Amino acid sequence: MSDFHHKPPGADVVIGAGFGDEGKGILTDALAARGGERAVVIRFNGGAQAGHTVTLADGRRHVFHHVGAGAFAGAATHLSRFFVANPILLGDELAALERMGIAPRIGIDPGAPVTTPYDMMINQIAERARGDRRHGSCGLGFGETLERNLNPEFALTAGQLPEERDLRAKLELIRTRWAPARLAALGIGPLPPSDLECWRSEAILAHWLDDVAAFRTRVELEPLSSVAGAEAIVFEGAQGLQLDQDYGAFPHVTRSNTGLKNVALLVAELGLQRLRVTHVTRAYATRHGAGYLPHERPASSLCEAADETNVANAWQGALRYGALDLDALADAIGHDLGHARRAGLQLTSALAMTCLDQVGDSIAFVQNGRERRASPGELAAIAADAVRAETWVEGWGPRRGDLKRLD
Amino acid sequence: MGHGRWDADSWSRYAASHTVGRSAQEIFSTRAMEAEFDPAQITLRESRDSTDNPASTAVILASDVTGSMGKIAEVMIRSGLDTTMREIYARKPVSDPHIMVMAVGDAECDRAPLQVTQFEADVRLAEQLAGLWIEGGGGGNAGESYHLPWYFAATKTSIDCFEKRGKKGYLFTIGDEPILPGISRANLARVFGEVPWRGLTSADMLAMASRFYEVFHILLTRVGYANSRGDEVLASWRPLLGQRVISCDDHDRIAEVIVSTIEVAEGAEPSSVARSWSGSTAVTVANALRSMGGRGSRGPTRPARPFGGWPI
């Protein structure tokens, strides 16, 4: 069979340009809607700690964690080998989607790491021990899963779940051999009784084994190549460039490459020719959790809307706000695109600016180190120019139809 | 970002929700038989050759889902058969396997004594597995209706492997109980939606199925009924299936046992098949295959007629 008469296959990439919470969900939904049930959304970094909100015209709203944000549009989800799977959380999310009548098809690369309850516990204990020097972690064990998976003896991937007939024995091994060594390496002393109770809970272990059985029935093992026939391919990034493990400010970063690095590898394997990369930012900067946030100020001086997705939680604290710094934005995006182009990726670049409806007549931003003000429409154009994007998308509300200039 | 609400309370809820019985059931919310699996509403299930599967072979896996199996019933359907299916697709003991799964209960007491999926050539079958209802029924009548798959296979399947190439498909029933001696006319009508001219014995139905399928039963010897009254269970099966009753002492190895059984039936040497697995699996498989008559180097055992021809 020859593809000669077909145009070369392409794909969209959605990447957060900030610290997360940029509006990747709504854009992913809009792009996936073009392929409907023949679209596939590929998660290429992060794990279930992502929270991508999609709101439908009829008011249905879901925060996508584990499932690709194209599911409302009918898109399948492919969890790549760079995605960390969490059977506990997937079950809850699927149940929530099912209540809205959505049953997405989900496939996972056999190489994708899988989180155990003990990774989550280590993460929570370590983060609590840091006191007010917290890293801003979600407590879901994402980084700890990757750390454990560096050790073949303790590694657990999606492809190993069916092979691992004695999953319970493997879990015991992780609990009794890996976890104490890891806690010691983190400098954590004897655990308080409440933690020990969790640690030794037979019910937690048994529940997790059930969740894995459910996960295996619900999620298909599939190689990356299985997405090749899709009508629309959308790479959905999690977190943002400013949290990238190599680019962001350590230690308040996520343990993943949030930009095009992983995408470049997957795209090469799929033989995709054309790539449109859209970096997403709000009209202002936000940060969830600890760490550097330039031009920080009260939310009320920037926008009107309280953010529904990011309720304050014990691990991350409340959502923080700052004026958008176009110099930092251009630097981050330029860095990301530069790497990808040097890696040989053919791409066009776009900028999406969301939450323009929330900022009133004018909003403060920073360019060349100086604070300025502009109307929201002007800001989108100025920012696209500053980051040298070839085009831009404007987000004037939480729904698919609120995206303007999306060609 | 913006997930992160997992703390000590979450763990308490997570632990508690398991003890009150939240399980896979909550996700697999089936509470009654789905119409698509109801044998009374199925006219015909087909296994057809295609470009992708030019030499299809029909394989039916029918597992007991009654209460005596306990939690094993669910594990078997959700996990054991899922693994078996993937193992068969991967190892291909027969050419182009087309797999159908059945959930078997008791025609005398259950609301859904038989549920039947489509024949599938790939892991799409998993979606149908998730939709099967684990009724957890069965009664105090010292046996289950393991013959229902035989009747269905004989009357409501059409398979190219036999019709085009004269090669029989494979039919495995899996469970822990004795087989009931037969089924009444009324129950046949209730389960299959058509009124037969009389009730049938298990031997009748086996004979019907054996025209088109190589029929085996996997007896789970360490589970439920068989664990305490193994001899009684075996006594109900041996007169019907003879060597084709395969004793399996580890329900976690059902996939390997079934694949190995097919390989031996296809002419492979039992001892070399057992050796192809590692560790304790090899022991379980060797024990299971023992009944198929292959001892040491004794030749291949294609037990097409291991105890004389069945009446047709």
Side-chain angles (χ1 to χ4, degrees):
Chain A
M1 298 266 279
S2 161
D3 285 333
F4 185 78
H5 296 290
H6 299 290
K7 56 184 182 180
D12 267 292
V13 188
V14 176
I15 289 178
F19 298 94
D21 306 307
E22 299 95 346
K24 297 178 289 289
I26 174 179
L27 187 60
T28 301
D29 166 68
L31 294 170
R34 298 169 167 192
E37 290 184 354
R38 301 209 43 209
V40 61
V41 171
I42 301 177
R43 290 290 308 271
F44 64 84
N45 73 323
Q49 84 276 39
H52 297 172
T53 308
V54 178
T55 309
L56 291 182
D58 63 15
R60 280 182 293 171
R61 176 179 176 278
H62 180 72
V63 184
F64 287 92
H65 300 302
H66 211 294
V67 179
F72 274 155
T77 298
H78 175 81
L79 306 172
S80 75
R81 65 178 186 272
F82 299 116
F83 181 86
V84 172
N86 189 322
I88 294 179
L89 300 174
L90 179 66
D92 289 345
E93 180 166 6
L94 286 175
L97 284 170
E98 194 177 299
R99 286 193 290 276
M100 288 185 278
I102 308 288
R105 207 191 78 72
I106 307 176
I108 189 167
D109 189 294
V114 175
T115 298
T116 71
Y118 307 107
D119 304 313
M120 297 167 71
M121 291 179 200
I122 294 172
N123 180 194
Q124 291 154 15
I125 291 165
E127 185 76 351
R128 220 169 32 229
R130 290 182 190 114
D132 39 6
R133 290 175 294 109
R134 291 184 175 188
H135 292 176
S137 161
C138 290
L140 298 181
F142 167 75
E144 286 300 331
T145 305
L146 294 173
E147 180 70 30
R148 176 177 50 72
N149 264 42
L150 295 175
N151 307 272
E153 187 188 355
F154 302 114
L156 191 60
T157 62
Q160 284 171 317
L161 294 178
E163 308 297 321
E164 199 67 58
R165 289 307 170 65
D166 222 342
L167 202 52
R168 169 180 286 269
K170 178 90 178 216
L171 211 56
E172 292 284 7
L173 189 73
I174 290 169
R175 166 160 72 173
T176 56
R177 300 238 347 262
W178 162 255
R182 174 66 182 152
L183 283 174
L186 288 165
I188 291 169
L191 298 179
S194 57
D195 283 337
L196 277 179
E197 195 183 319
C198 260
W199 204 258
R200 294 173 181 157
S201 165
E202 174 60 24
I204 287 174
L205 197 152
H207 194 165
W208 189 78
L209 292 174
D210 278 354
D211 282 345
V212 168
F215 183 91
R216 286 185 44 207
T217 313
R218 192 59 185 73
V219 179
E220 254 176 57
L221 282 178
E222 63 181 24
L224 176 67
S225 57
S226 65
V227 310
E231 190 77 30
I233 296 177
V234 183
F235 288 89
E236 179 186 13
Q239 293 87 42
L241 294 178
Q242 312 278 359
L243 292 168
D244 185 274
Q245 62 178 355
D246 301 323
Y247 182 79
F250 190 80
H252 305 288
V253 295
T254 186
R255 190 167 179 156
S256 102
N257 291 108
T258 58
L260 286 164
K261 187 172 175 184
N262 297 345
V263 177
L265 295 168
L266 298 175
V267 159
E269 285 169 39
L270 282 169
L272 295 175
Q273 302 295 320
R274 294 171 300 112
L275 219 52
R276 178 174 53 184
V277 181
T278 307
H279 287 95
V280 189
T281 177
R282 290 193 191 193
Y284 46 89
T286 61
R287 176 154 202 171
H288 213 147
Y292 173 68
L293 175 66
H295 319 299
E296 185 166 0
R297 61 194 64 188
S300 56
S301 71
L302 292 162
C303 66
E304 302 147 357
D307 190 287
E308 274 187 86
T309 301
N310 289 285
V311 248
N313 68 72
W315 301 109
Q316 293 191 304
L319 190 64
R320 299 152 58 202
Y321 293 79
L324 190 63
D325 186 324
L326 298 187
D327 308 323
L329 190 70
D331 190 43
I333 292 174
H335 182 265
D336 194 32
L337 291 174
H339 264 287
R341 289 195 167 114
R342 278 195 296 282
L345 236 54
Q346 300 291 313
L347 53 85
T348 59
S349 72
L351 181 76
M353 185 172 285
T354 61
C355 300
L356 292 167
D357 56 314
Q358 300 172 1
V359 302
D361 293 337
S362 79
I363 181 168
F365 66 98
V366 175
Q367 189 171 25
N368 300 324
R370 291 209 336 273
E371 185 162 324
R372 298 171 53 191
R373 294 191 77 84
S375 75
E378 287 166 356
L379 176 58
I382 295 169
D385 191 45
V387 306
R388 290 198 281 279
E390 289 155 57
T391 178
W392 74 90
V393 178
E394 298 174 9
W396 291 88
R399 299 186 173 91
R400 196 185 295 163
D402 298 326
L403 291 178
K404 305 286 185 253
R405 302 175 56 95
L406 185 68
D407 56 23
Chain B
M1 309 283 286
H3 191 292
R5 281 158 286 280
W6 201 277
D7 49 24
D9 287 345
S10 310
W11 285 124
S12 311
R13 278 195 302 278
Y14 190 71
S17 59
H18 184 259
T19 51
V20 299
R22 178 207 184 272
S23 71
Q25 280 292 345
E26 233 179 56
I27 294 166
F28 309 113
S29 49
T30 309
R31 291 288 178 269
M33 173 164 58
E34 305 278 344
E36 61 180 308
F37 303 131
D38 181 355
Q41 300 185 45
I42 298 168
T43 313
L44 195 65
R45 288 286 202 237
E46 298 168 287
S47 159
R48 297 281 174 238
D49 292 346
S50 66
T51 322
D52 289 337
N53 294 276
S56 65
T57 311
V59 178
I60 298 176
L61 307 172
S63 185
D64 184 341
V65 292
T66 60
S68 69
M69 297 265 288
K71 205 165 158 44
I72 306 290
E74 178 155 1
V75 171
M76 192 55 73
I77 286 283
R78 308 296 184 215
S79 160
L81 291 191
D82 186 80
T83 309
T84 305
M85 155 194 98
R86 288 169 199 273
E87 199 78 56
I88 291 173
Y89 289 137
R91 195 150 148 158
K92 291 204 190 323
V94 288
S95 61
D96 303 336
H98 282 182
I99 304 177
M100 161 189 280
V101 165
M102 298 188 191
V104 186
D106 188 327
E108 294 174 9
C109 0
D110 289 353
R111 283 163 59 203
L114 185 67
Q115 300 170 75
V116 183
T117 72
Q118 301 279 353
F119 280 109
E120 292 287 1
D122 58 37
V123 293
R124 267 174 299 187
L125 183 60
E127 289 168 26
Q128 296 177 52
L129 284 185
L132 292 173
W133 180 38
I134 311 291
E135 184 174 3
N141 51 0
E144 305 295 1
S145 303
Y146 294 107
H147 42 238
L148 298 178
W150 298 344
Y151 185 84
F152 185 95
T155 60
K156 294 200 175 196
T157 68
S158 172
I159 55 176
D160 274 356
C161 59
F162 185 79
E163 290 164 23
K164 286 193 178 166
R165 293 183 301 282
K167 177 173 174 50
K168 291 183 181 181
Y170 282 87
L171 197 172
F172 289 86
T173 48
I174 302 156
D176 66 329
E177 291 215 32
I179 180 170
L180 289 172
I183 185 169
S184 69
R185 182 169 180 263
N187 278 334
L188 264 183
R190 179 171 77 90
V191 177
F192 293 99
E194 54 198 26
V195 184
W197 55 278
R198 65 169 170 86
L200 294 169
T201 67
S202 290
D204 290 336
M205 291 179 272
L206 175 61
M208 291 162 69
S210 297
R211 291 183 60 190
F212 316 109
Y213 290 86
E214 310 283 3
V215 181
F216 294 86
H217 179 70
I218 309 286
L219 177 60
L220 300 174
T221 56
R222 296 282 169 80
V223 173
Y225 203 108
N227 194 29
S228 52
R229 282 171 286 183
D231 290 345
E232 184 187 328
V233 178
L234 210 49
S236 88
W237 283 100
R238 279 281 188 235
L240 286 166
L241 281 174
Q243 296 179 325
R244 292 185 167 207
V245 182
I246 310 292
S247 294
C248 176
D249 56 24
D250 182 350
H251 65 266
D252 275 336
R253 301 286 183 269
I254 196 85
E256 292 83 340
V257 167
I258 287 176
V259 168
S260 301
T261 302
I262 298 176
E263 287 178 340
V264 170
E266 290 288 305
E269 174 77 36
S271 55
S272 65
V273 169
R275 274 199 311 274
S276 72
W277 306 101
S278 63
S280 63
T281 305
V283 178
T284 294
V285 169
N287 285 339
L289 297 183
R290 188 163 296 147
S291 70
M292 290 184 72
R295 284 225 176 73
S297 60
R298 221 185 80 185
T301 55
R302 191 164 193 285
R305 294 286 183 275
F307 34 87
W310 289 313
I312 292 177

